[in-house]
Amino acid sequence: MSNETKILEDIMEKWALNDKIGNNKTKWWKGVKLKGDALLRSWEQFICKNIAVNKCGLKWPDVEDWGPKECRKFYNERFLDGARILPDQYQLKENNNSAMNTLFETWSEEDMVVMEYRWNNGYAFKSFRDRVYFALDGIVANLGDQAGNVIKKMQEAEAAMTAVAEEFDGMISKVPMSSRAKNLMEYMRANLRITDFLDEDEEASND
C-alpha cells in the first residue's frame, strides 16, 4: 500500500466516508473481486457514451472518439449539472439496455456495488484522491447548511423574544396593576431566555 493510499484510507476512517470510494487496495476491499480503478474508469467511459447516445440525443459518431476528458466533462456538466447525485434517468440501473447488460454480466458483485455508488453519486471519472476530496467537500457543505439553519433559528428566536419583551414593557408601563403583579411581570421580563423560544420554534416546525 502506498503512503498516499494509507493517508486517504485514514481520512476515510476519520470522517466515516463511504467505503465504496476507496480503491481495491484499501482495507475494505482486500481479498475481494473488486477491479482496479483504471479498469473501472474505462467502464465509466463506456457507460457515459452509452447514456449520451440513448438518453441525450447524441449519435455514436459524436461520442466514438471521446476519451477520459470528454467523458468527464459530459458527466459533470450534462449528467450532474452542478448537483452531487445524478437524476434518475442517468443512474446506472435505469440504463439497462443490451449493451449495458452485456457489460454488467462481466462484473463481480463488488464491481456492481462500487460502480453503481460512484456513478450515481458524482464520483465517476475521479481518482481515489479526488473522490475523497469530493466526499469531504460534501461534508463541509452539509455542515455549512446546518450552521446556517442554526443561525436562522437563533435570529427568529431572538426576534420572538424581543417582541415578547416589548409586550411586557408595554404592560408594565401602561396597564394599571398592583405592585405585586408589577413585580411579577418585571421578574418574568428579566428572565426571558432565548432557549425558551428556540424550543417553541422547534416544536412548531415538527407539528
Side-chain angles (χ1 to χ4, degrees):
M1 180 188 294
S2 70
N3 187 51
E4 182 184 54
T5 298
K6 181 65 172 66
I7 291 170
L8 295 173
E9 189 179 88
D10 289 344
I11 293 172
M12 288 177 63
E13 275 200 304
K14 179 177 179 59
W15 291 96
L17 304 182
N18 193 296
D19 59 14
K20 298 176 188 65
I21 69 173
N23 63 27
N24 65 338
K25 296 177 182 178
T26 55
K27 64 181 182 180
W28 299 282
W29 300 106
K30 284 182 178 177
V32 299
K33 296 180 179 179
L34 177 65
K35 309 297 191 302
D37 273 7
L39 182 55
L40 267 59
R41 281 200 292 269
S42 72
W43 290 343
E44 289 169 352
Q45 291 181 58
F46 175 84
I47 294 166
C48 180
K49 294 178 184 182
N50 183 281
I51 297 176
V53 169
N54 286 286
K55 292 289 179 70
C56 300
L58 276 68
K59 304 296 184 184
W60 179 249
D62 299 326
V63 305
E64 184 175 7
D65 295 327
W66 281 8
K69 290 183 179 179
E70 291 82 7
C71 288
R72 182 183 301 110
K73 179 179 174 65
F74 197 84
Y75 175 83
N76 289 328
E77 295 181 1
R78 182 66 179 270
F79 294 161
L80 283 174
D81 191 23
R84 295 184 64 89
I85 298 177
L86 289 183
D88 289 347
Q89 66 188 38
Y90 301 136
Q91 293 197 9
L92 206 55
K93 287 191 175 178
E94 296 298 319
N95 292 276
N96 54 348
N97 53 61
S98 58
M100 294 280 274
N101 286 335
T102 299
L103 175 63
F104 295 160
E105 288 172 2
T106 69
W107 291 2
S108 68
E109 182 179 345
E110 292 85 357
D111 294 332
M112 175 62 78
V113 168
V114 168
M115 283 292 294
E116 184 173 19
Y117 180 82
R118 292 185 189 176
W119 180 265
N120 293 347
N121 292 280
Y123 293 99
F125 303 106
K126 291 177 173 63
S127 66
F128 181 20
R129 180 179 63 251
D130 289 341
R131 292 194 298 271
V132 170
Y133 290 168
F134 185 71
L136 291 175
D137 183 64
I139 290 175
V140 170
N142 185 51
L143 290 174
D145 290 341
Q146 291 180 29
N149 290 334
V150 169
I151 291 170
K152 183 179 179 182
K153 286 185 177 182
M154 290 289 288
Q155 290 171 336
E156 292 172 350
E158 186 176 12
M161 188 176 76
T162 299
V164 171
E166 289 173 351
E167 289 182 13
F168 273 118
D169 291 340
M171 293 175 65
I172 292 169
S173 62
K174 297 177 183 179
V175 177
M177 64 181 74
S178 68
S179 59
R180 179 177 294 179
K182 184 175 181 178
N183 289 338
L184 177 60
M185 296 290 284
E186 289 175 341
Y187 175 83
M188 294 171 64
R189 164 69 174 85
N191 284 276
L192 291 174
R193 296 289 183 271
I194 196 169
T195 50
D196 297 332
F197 296 88
L198 279 171
D199 290 340
E200 288 181 8
D201 182 63
E202 290 172 358
E203 288 172 6
S205 66
N206 292 329
D207 289 341

